[in-house]
Amino acid sequence: MAGVRLQPFDPALAERIATWTTSADEVNAWSSRFDDHVPSEVIVGWSRADDVEAYVGVVDHTVIAYGELWLDPDEGEVELARLLL
């Protein structure tokens, strides 16, 4: 997608990101949770894990995506996770 900039996740954005899923099926597909939504404090908690780097995609000053890198230095691996746009 042209013009998308990645920026570190700001916890102040969690409330907005929490509204992006609109059904329990979407929540489950995104986060493996069995709820009808993901509370903003859960998203903030994910981003604070030691082995996680969370980012947002921004176009024209508008946040359009969220995603995480799950770091595994022991294995020398990085996994893309919880991608949502």
Side-chain angles (χ1 to χ4, degrees), residues 19-66:
T19 68
W20 291 353
T21 52
T22 59
S23 71
D25 287 340
E26 286 181 2
V27 168
N28 183 261
W30 177 46
S31 66
S32 299
R33 293 175 58 95
F34 295 98
D35 303 310
D36 59 353
H37 75 284
V38 177
S40 58
E41 60 270 12
V42 170
I43 297 169
V44 171
W46 292 337
S47 71
R48 291 187 174 151
D50 290 338
D51 58 348
V52 172
E53 291 182 7
Y55 293 89
V56 292
V58 179
V59 173
D60 295 328
H61 306 288
T62 301
V63 176
I64 62 154
Y66 173 87

